[in-house]
Amino acid sequence: MKTRAAAAATLKTLVRSATFWLMLAVLLAVTVGGVWEGYFNGDRADGIVITVQNYVQVVSNCGAGTLLIFCMPLFAIVTVTIIQSRDYGDRFFEVEKAAGQKPSRYVFVRFLTLIVLNAAVLILFHAICLHLYIGTRGGVEGMTIGEYLADAAVRQLRFDLAVGVPCIVFYIGIAFLFGSLFASKAAGAAGAIGYLVVYNVTDLFFRWEMGEFFFDYLVPIPNKLRFYVHYYDTPWFESTVGYFDITPTDVVLCETFLFLGAFACAGVAYLRTRGRSL
């Protein structure tokens, strides 16, 4: 019951925040903007035909290009900041600790609740982006509406769960880490947003200097993980994994880096929280 109450309190704190709803509005605006801008040259022209290969590409582009590169990580960081605002600003933990709340439950229930919430938001907005794009372009060539919806559900969820959720979990962990180290919501936001900006700048301007290994394994959207999931269950899968030399072991390594990194950050947050006094 205490676990359920802690999760409910986390969700209640978020939905009562105007910033939370503002960020949802921003997410919607970015999603619609991505659909409007399109993902291929000429795909806003009348009579555009979306092939199956185009459609497969759009699943990845909607998820990674429109949402995961910047907007969803920022949303995740803001949700952590809102929770830490209650924690460090209102001294909520001290109240909970006095009532017998264990530090482990206090930290990890909030951590896991934020993961579930952000995963649901990612899945929702990825679906809006994908279906709105395909719908405004007249569907996928050679696929009925039923065939498209069935295939899109599997393909999108596979991308979101295998690529999107690990990315979001990683950013949530970083925000938890900085916030707990400095006992400050501002530090949590600044540290995580700083990492987000540095990653994007590095990706844009210093990709070659950092080397392939870094971007293949050690970033929030590892190339080997994204390409493997992107082309999985398509006619181009074997040629793609052969060209980029991707194995299932590479995928496991990418996932391990993201989840272990995130939960290590949560572990540090737990240790810092356990040391707090009344």
Side-chain angles (χ1 to χ4, degrees), residues 190-261:
I193 292 174
Y195 176 87
L196 174 61
V197 171
V198 168
Y199 163 57
N200 279 278
V201 170
T202 303
D203 187 34
L204 284 173
F205 300 108
F206 303 103
R207 173 172 287 272
W208 297 113
E209 287 81 354
M210 295 300 297
E212 291 184 4
F213 182 85
F214 180 76
F215 287 100
D216 281 345
Y217 297 100
L218 303 179
V219 293
I221 311 175
N223 287 335
K224 292 208 171 188
L225 174 61
R226 178 182 175 181
F227 292 149
Y228 189 94
V229 175
H230 175 173
Y231 289 101
Y232 188 83
D233 193 26
T234 70
W236 312 281
F237 178 71
E238 294 297 334
S239 60
T240 299
V241 297
Y243 180 80
F244 290 105
D245 190 26
I246 306 172
T247 67
T249 301
D250 293 322
V251 174
V252 172
L253 289 173
C254 293
E255 300 276 17
T256 300
F257 165 73
L258 293 171
F259 279 110
L260 279 184

Side-chain angles (χ1 to χ4, degrees), residues 156-207:
Q156 181 211 324
L157 280 174
R158 181 165 56 223
F159 185 91
D160 289 342
L161 296 178
V163 180
V165 170
C167 172
I168 296 305
V169 170
F170 189 70
Y171 279 107
I172 290 174
I174 290 175
F176 260 84
L177 174 65
F178 280 102
S180 64
L181 284 177
F182 297 97
S184 165
K185 64 174 183 177
I193 292 174
Y195 176 87
L196 174 61
V197 171
V198 168
Y199 163 57
N200 279 278
V201 170
T202 303
D203 187 34
L204 284 173
F205 300 108
F206 303 103
R207 173 172 287 272

Side-chain angles (χ1 to χ4, degrees), residues 80-92 184-185:
V80 176
T81 303
I82 292 170
I83 296 304
Q84 290 184 331
S85 175
R86 182 80 186 276
D87 188 4
Y88 297 113
D90 298 342
R91 311 297 293 176
F92 189 67
S184 165
K185 64 174 183 177

Side-chain angles (χ1 to χ4, degrees), residues 39-230:
Y39 300 105
F40 305 100
N41 289 331
D43 65 357
R44 284 193 288 169
D46 294 336
I48 181 69
V49 175
I50 301 298
T51 65
V52 172
Q53 188 171 11
N54 293 149
Y55 148 66
V56 170
Q57 184 73 39
V58 168
V59 174
S60 180
N61 286 345
C62 282
T66 299
L67 295 172
L68 290 176
I69 288 294
F70 196 85
C71 200
M72 264 307 304
L74 181 61
F75 177 82
I77 292 166
V78 168
T79 59
V80 176
T81 303
I82 292 170
I83 296 304
Q84 290 184 331
S85 175
R86 182 80 186 276
D87 188 4
Y88 297 113
D90 298 342
R91 311 297 293 176
F92 189 67
F93 170 71
E94 282 72 11
V95 176
E96 291 283 283
K97 188 174 182 179
Q101 179 73 278
K102 294 181 178 179
S104 58
R105 182 183 292 117
Y106 184 85
V107 172
F108 287 106
V109 169
R110 281 159 177 75
F111 185 73
L112 294 174
T113 302
L114 286 171
I115 290 173
V116 172
L117 173 68
N118 278 275
V121 170
L122 170 64
I123 291 169
L124 172 62
F125 281 89
H126 192 178
I128 292 173
C129 189
L130 175 62
H131 297 321
L132 189 58
Y133 177 89
I134 296 298
T136 54
R137 271 72 176 181
V140 179
E141 183 181 38
M143 298 179 72
T144 66
I145 294 177
E147 289 171 339
Y148 159 71
L149 291 175
D151 186 82
V154 174
R155 203 169 295 282
Q156 181 211 324
L157 280 174
R158 181 165 56 223
F159 185 91
D160 289 342
L161 296 178
V163 180
V165 170
C167 172
I168 296 305
V169 170
F170 189 70
Y171 279 107
I172 290 174
I174 290 175
F176 260 84
L177 174 65
F178 280 102
S180 64
L181 284 177
F182 297 97
S184 165
K185 64 174 183 177
I193 292 174
Y195 176 87
L196 174 61
V197 171
V198 168
Y199 163 57
N200 279 278
V201 170
T202 303
D203 187 34
L204 284 173
F205 300 108
F206 303 103
R207 173 172 287 272
W208 297 113
E209 287 81 354
M210 295 300 297
E212 291 184 4
F213 182 85
F214 180 76
F215 287 100
D216 281 345
Y217 297 100
L218 303 179
V219 293
I221 311 175
N223 287 335
K224 292 208 171 188
L225 174 61
R226 178 182 175 181
F227 292 149
Y228 189 94
V229 175
H230 175 173

